[in-house]
């Protein structure tokens, strides 16, 4: 499992790879947290997210949008997520900690998760995602 | 970054710096695309931006052209620097034509100071940095009650002035008087409200900034005098938007409009262009919520203006009233405006995504004393480069639905920027030129280094030469707070 930042002039474009769809969602989640808060993140607080959507792209977009909301309103920085997918339903447990300005003001706010250029493809090695974060 | 050397194939030159994307460039285009770009900037144009400009031309009810300003670049949905006007009867409204940061915009105020009056520039920058909550996770110092948030979304900058954050004159120097009348707070979710409450008066991050500047050149003495801009004067520019509240409004309504797109059988080349007929319940709900978020943004910029003015009063002992607002412009918004199309007046829904209104002499919504001049157009440069004040023009009214560029336009990604120089190297290089940079972290500085943008001087020269706005004054940076 891995992710990398691709070249995009205005925003942050991420390419993630994982053997499973769940793993792909978790990688996208880690990339989002990395962009916003940097690397120094621990997990002693948990939050859960449950949602459903019509298709995999919407499910991923809704999941990451919900993470943005929870992180901002509850002032939490997440280290990791465990994602379970069942058709069009998602259940995720997020592990994180309270926002600490001294350690977490290292990144840039993500304003939204865009559908432009989003793709999820499956090949012999698993899944690959391209996704754009508006910063 | 696209490193070609000439205009991409297939573009038709229709003027010195004006180009057409013909119908057929992407399937389903209803009108051609038109964009303004000089030969020197053509090599920086990304094919992705042209594709997005052409995509906008496929939307129902688009009037005349899908338009691109010279800071045109690759975004999501509409390109950045994109303008699209739609018929209210047959056209659509799309959050993809506004963006997540609803009413991201810029305001400029002047001070009675000149550069030599600022004996301790570092101290001034540090005190402004402390006064304006900045960066990821920054919280408002104002305690905004839940009921006050509703007033903020309805009254915009007027709410802030009523709360003591500024003067009533400030309101006459904001586009729309600092509040769109069509705000519908019922269409703003609880989630959006929860995000709005702790963030009033915060700058945010990314390309948002507060910059101390000096007026270093006057091109049009009459317009400069009308705008209250004088040679050598120190002024302050604020760039930010509607914060988490606006981002959530966009996210929420994008979801609703995606469903609506299917219901109304609208074929789209990009999901981010999700839209609904302007008069449909879904379209109206988005418009009302977007207006509420735009109003929040005007209140937000008004609060930041107030915080900055208070620091000048504290450090220099001058009158609060001696720091008038030159103007406040929105550059991510959709508005109903009246324009002339083929000789007839028509009410249109004009989307500006990274584009500035450029209303010329005699246009509606201008304060009386600027009616003969046109509205002030404020174009920020990238960090370390000049910003400009221009005036709106009759040509913009005729050709671009009263629109012009909004900035320089990025040409290099954030990952490339970080590989090229560290934040410290960028800050040191700027300091060597007398520009102090303050940011929550070094990466934020590298992300916004001057080299990652098109030269602001070339971009404004194109809009000036094309007549979309006319040069009034140049502002050079003295110090900047980066979000």
């Amino acid at each position: 499992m891995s992710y990398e930042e691709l070249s995009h002039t205005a925003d942050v474009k991420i390419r993630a790879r994982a053997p499973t769809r769940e793993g792909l969602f978790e990688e996208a989640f880690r990339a989002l947290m990395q962009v916003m808060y940097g690397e120094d993140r621990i997990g002693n607080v948990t939050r859960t997210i449950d949602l459903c959507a019509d298709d995999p792209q919407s499910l991923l977009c809704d999941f990451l949008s919900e993470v943005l909301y929870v992180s901002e309103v509850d002032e939490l920085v997440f280290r990791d997520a465990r994602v379970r997918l069942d058709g069009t339903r998602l259940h995720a447990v997020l592990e994180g900690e309270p926002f600490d300005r001294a350690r977490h003001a290292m990144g840039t706010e993500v304003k939204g998760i865009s559908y432009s250029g989003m793709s999820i493809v499956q090949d012999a090695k698993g899944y690959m995602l391209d996704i754009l974060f508006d910063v | 970054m696209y490193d070609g050397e000439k205009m991409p194939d297939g573009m038709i030159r229709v003027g010195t710096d004006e180009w057409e994307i013909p119908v057929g460039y992407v399937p389903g285009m209803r009108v051609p695309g038109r964009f303004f770009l000089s030969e020197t900037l053509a090599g920086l144009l990304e094919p992705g931006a042209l594709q997005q400009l052409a995509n906008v031309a496929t939307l129902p009810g688009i009037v005349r052209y899908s338009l691109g300003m010279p800071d045109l670049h690759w975004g999501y949905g509409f390109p950045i620097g994109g303008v699209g006007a739609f018929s209210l009867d047959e056209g659509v409204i799309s959050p993809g034509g506004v963006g997540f940061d609803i009413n991201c915009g810029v305001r400029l105020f002047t001070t009675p100071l000149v550069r030599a009056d600022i004996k301790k520039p570092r101290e001034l920058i540090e005190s402004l940095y402390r006064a304006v909550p900045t960066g990821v996770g920054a919280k408002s110092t104002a305690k905004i009650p839940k009921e006050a948030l509703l007033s903020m979304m309805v009254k915009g900058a007027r709410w802030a002035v009523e709360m003591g954050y500024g003067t009533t004159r400030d309101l006459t120097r904001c586009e729309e008087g600092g509040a769109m009348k069509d705000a519908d707070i019922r269409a703003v979710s609880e989630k959006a409200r929860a995000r709005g409450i702790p963030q009033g008066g915060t700058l945010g991050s990314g390309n948002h900034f507060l910059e101390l500047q000096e007026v270093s050149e006057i091109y049009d003495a009459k317009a400069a005098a009308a705008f209250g801009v004088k040679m050598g004067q120190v002024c302050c520019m604020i760039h930010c938007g509607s914060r988490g509240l606006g981002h959530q409004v966009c996210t929420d309504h994008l979801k609703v409009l995606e469903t609506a797109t299917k219901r109304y059988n609208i074929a789209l080349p990009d999901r981010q262009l999700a839209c609904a007929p302007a008069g449909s319940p879904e379209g109206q709900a988005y418009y009302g919520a977007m207006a509420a978020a735009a109003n929040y943004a005007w209140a937000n910029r008004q609060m930041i203006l107030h915080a900055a003015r208070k620091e000048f009063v504290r450090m220099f002992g001058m009158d609060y009233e001696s720091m008038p607002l030159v103007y406040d412009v929105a550059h991510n918004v959709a508005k109903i405006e009246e324009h002339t199309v083929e000789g007839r007046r028509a009410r249109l829904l004009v989307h500006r995504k990274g584009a500035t209104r450029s209303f010329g002499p005699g246009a509606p919504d201008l304060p009386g004393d600027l009616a003969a001049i046109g509205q002030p157009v404020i174009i920020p440069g990238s960090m370390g480069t000049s910003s400009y004040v221009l005036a709106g023009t009759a040509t913009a009214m005729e050709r671009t639905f009263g629109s012009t560029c909004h900035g320089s336009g990025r040409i290099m990604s954030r990952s490339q920027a970080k590989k090229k120089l560290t934040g410290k190297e960028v800050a040191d290089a700027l300091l060597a030129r007398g520009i102090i940079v303050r940011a929550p972290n070094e990466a934020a500085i590298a992300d916004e280094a001057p080299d990652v943008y098109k030269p602001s001087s070339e971009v404004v020269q194109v809009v000036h030469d094309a007549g979309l706005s006319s040069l009034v004054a140049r502002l050079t940076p003295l110090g900047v707070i980066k979000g």
Side-chain angles (χ1 to χ4, degrees):
Chain A
M1 298 211 298
S2 66
Y3 65 84
E4 60 182 316
E5 191 173 336
L6 303 180
S7 185
H8 188 274
T9 41
D11 297 307
V12 172
K13 188 165 192 183
I14 297 289
R15 172 165 292 171
R17 289 188 173 85
T20 62
R21 222 153 58 89
E22 287 80 359
L24 198 68
F25 277 48
E26 291 168 4
E27 280 304 306
F29 164 87
R30 279 190 276 274
L32 180 64
M33 288 292 108
Q34 164 79 28
V35 167
M36 290 185 71
Y37 302 115
E39 284 173 10
D40 183 3
R41 313 186 309 271
I42 59 168
N44 52 26
V45 182
T46 60
R47 285 285 184 281
T48 57
I49 291 176
D50 286 282
L51 35 90
C52 58
D54 294 343
D55 59 85
Q57 293 196 1
S58 302
L59 197 56
L60 178 60
C61 187
D62 291 355
F63 167 54
L64 297 177
S65 297
E66 188 65 16
V67 169
L68 287 179
Y69 169 74
V70 174
S71 173
E72 186 174 301
V73 169
D74 290 350
E75 297 179 49
L76 293 173
V77 170
F78 296 107
R79 181 193 66 179
D80 225 333
R82 279 169 286 135
V83 173
R84 252 195 4 242
L85 297 174
D86 177 10
T88 55
R89 304 187 72 81
L90 170 144
H91 172 76
V93 179
L94 316 182
E95 293 169 356
E97 60 171 320
F99 175 80
D100 171 4
R101 192 163 168 81
R103 291 168 45 234
H104 296 139
M106 297 300 148
T108 188
E109 276 172 351
V110 171
K111 295 172 182 169
I113 313 299
S114 170
Y115 282 113
S116 282
M118 189 197 285
S119 73
I120 299 175
V121 293
Q122 188 181 9
D123 62 16
K125 284 186 274 180
Y127 293 86
M128 186 175 86
L129 163 74
D130 282 356
I131 192 167
L132 194 68
F133 301 153
D134 178 23
V135 295
Chain B
M1 177 173 141
Y2 177 69
D3 57 359
E5 287 173 1
K6 60 177 181 66
M7 188 59 70
D9 289 341
M11 300 301 110
I12 302 163
R13 177 168 233 154
V14 290
T16 311
D17 290 333
E18 189 175 355
W19 303 80
E20 180 163 310
I21 309 179
V23 169
Y25 186 78
V26 303
M29 285 172 73
R30 294 163 194 265
V31 295
R34 281 274 174 109
F35 60 98
F36 295 84
L37 207 62
S38 61
E39 294 267 13
T40 40
L41 293 174
L44 302 173
L45 185 61
E46 307 130 316
L50 291 178
Q51 168 100 27
Q52 290 180 331
L53 196 64
N55 286 347
V56 174
T58 70
L59 296 176
I62 186 160
V63 176
R64 262 166 46 191
Y65 303 110
S66 164
L67 290 160
M69 303 296 118
D71 47 349
L72 182 69
H73 67 118
W74 189 21
Y76 52 86
F78 277 47
I80 298 160
V83 176
F86 294 82
S87 151
L88 287 181
D89 302 323
E90 291 150 24
V92 292
I93 183 165
S94 172
V98 175
F100 284 100
D101 199 359
I102 296 163
N103 189 8
C104 186
V106 186
R107 60 171 51 193
L108 177 75
F109 71 93
T110 61
T111 75
L113 304 172
V114 295
R115 190 177 190 164
D117 295 327
I118 304 173
K119 307 280 191 247
K120 295 176 179 167
R122 173 77 66 181
E123 200 177 299
L124 175 59
I125 289 293
E126 286 297 328
S127 71
L128 288 167
Y129 183 76
R130 282 191 298 272
V132 180
T134 299
V136 178
K139 290 274 172 279
S140 176
T141 48
K143 298 275 173 274
I144 299 170
K146 219 173 173 181
E147 311 75 59
L149 182 77
L150 305 183
S151 296
M152 245 175 131
M153 292 191 286
V154 173
K155 293 182 177 176
R158 180 172 297 284
W159 168 83
V161 167
E162 285 173 1
M163 296 298 288
Y165 302 108
T167 67
T168 46
R169 186 198 173 276
D170 294 339
L171 303 176
T172 68
R173 287 300 190 270
C174 292
E175 190 170 320
E176 302 293 321
M180 285 175 73
K181 289 163 197 69
D182 301 320
D184 180 0
I185 53 175
R186 293 168 306 176
V188 178
S189 69
E190 283 300 324
K191 280 181 161 179
R193 296 176 192 200
R195 293 177 73 172
I197 285 175
Q199 292 188 333
T202 65
L203 196 64
S205 69
N207 62 359
H208 294 164
F209 65 78
L210 181 151
E211 189 168 270
L212 205 59
Q213 302 167 333
E214 176 186 34
V215 180
S216 53
E217 201 168 352
I218 300 278
Y219 306 100
D220 179 341
K222 188 179 164 203
F227 295 171
V229 174
K230 299 185 191 79
M231 186 67 187
Q233 187 177 41
V234 168
C235 46
C236 187
M237 187 177 279
I238 295 159
H239 176 209
C240 67
S242 51
R243 315 290 295 108
L245 182 142
H247 311 165
Q248 190 70 43
V249 163
C250 180
T251 300
D252 292 341
H253 284 267
L254 204 52
K255 201 166 170 56
V256 176
L257 290 173
E258 269 230 291
T259 314
T261 304
K262 291 175 197 146
R263 178 173 319 139
Y264 297 106
N265 290 320
I266 302 168
L268 291 180
D270 175 357
R271 279 182 80 175
Q272 196 71 28
L273 288 173
C275 57
S280 67
E282 297 91 341
Q284 290 280 304
Y286 169 65
Y287 185 64
M290 182 215 63
N295 293 350
Y296 178 93
W298 271 306
N300 190 39
R301 287 198 288 276
Q302 185 68 36
M303 292 171 80
I304 294 172
L305 164 77
H306 176 70
R309 277 176 175 160
K310 276 203 317 189
E311 287 308 305
F312 279 99
V313 169
R314 192 179 62 77
M315 287 189 70
F316 299 95
M318 60 230 221
D319 277 353
Y320 186 96
E321 311 261 337
S322 69
M323 291 173 277
L325 183 61
V326 174
Y327 210 63
D328 178 304
V329 294
H331 54 219
N332 280 357
V333 79
K335 288 199 292 198
I336 296 171
E337 295 171 354
E338 207 174 288
H339 290 279
T340 303
V341 181
E342 274 135 35
R344 295 161 98 178
R345 296 296 283 170
R347 289 177 77 232
L348 303 173
L349 186 53
V350 182
H351 294 63
R352 295 191 182 92
K353 166 90 170 287
T356 311
R357 199 184 71 173
S358 180
F359 276 10
D365 194 43
L366 299 186
D369 54 338
L370 299 184
I373 305 283
Q375 74 164 80
V377 171
I378 298 162
I379 306 297
S382 56
M383 190 170 66
T385 68
S386 295
S387 296
Y388 294 85
V389 179
L390 298 94
T393 61
T395 304
M397 304 307 285
E398 289 159 17
R399 314 214 34 209
T400 56
F401 304 104
S403 310
T404 188
C405 66
H406 88 306
S408 326
R410 279 188 85 98
I411 51 175
M412 197 190 291
S413 71
R414 286 165 168 81
S415 48
Q416 285 172 311
K418 285 190 185 105
K419 277 179 205 148
K420 203 169 174 205
L421 286 173
T422 67
K424 186 165 187 322
E425 286 167 330
V426 174
D428 287 349
L430 289 170
L431 189 60
R433 291 168 45 208
I435 305 164
I436 298 166
V437 184
R438 183 69 165 92
N441 64 69
E442 277 192 12
I445 301 174
D447 274 359
E448 297 293 320
D451 295 356
V452 311
Y453 286 88
K454 288 178 192 175
S456 54
S457 55
E458 287 185 31
V459 171
V460 295
Q461 195 62 51
V462 175
V463 294
H464 177 81
D465 291 346
L468 303 184
S469 40
S470 69
L471 279 163
V472 173
R474 184 163 68 91
L475 315 168
T476 48
L478 303 176
V480 59
I481 290 164
K482 278 292 318 140

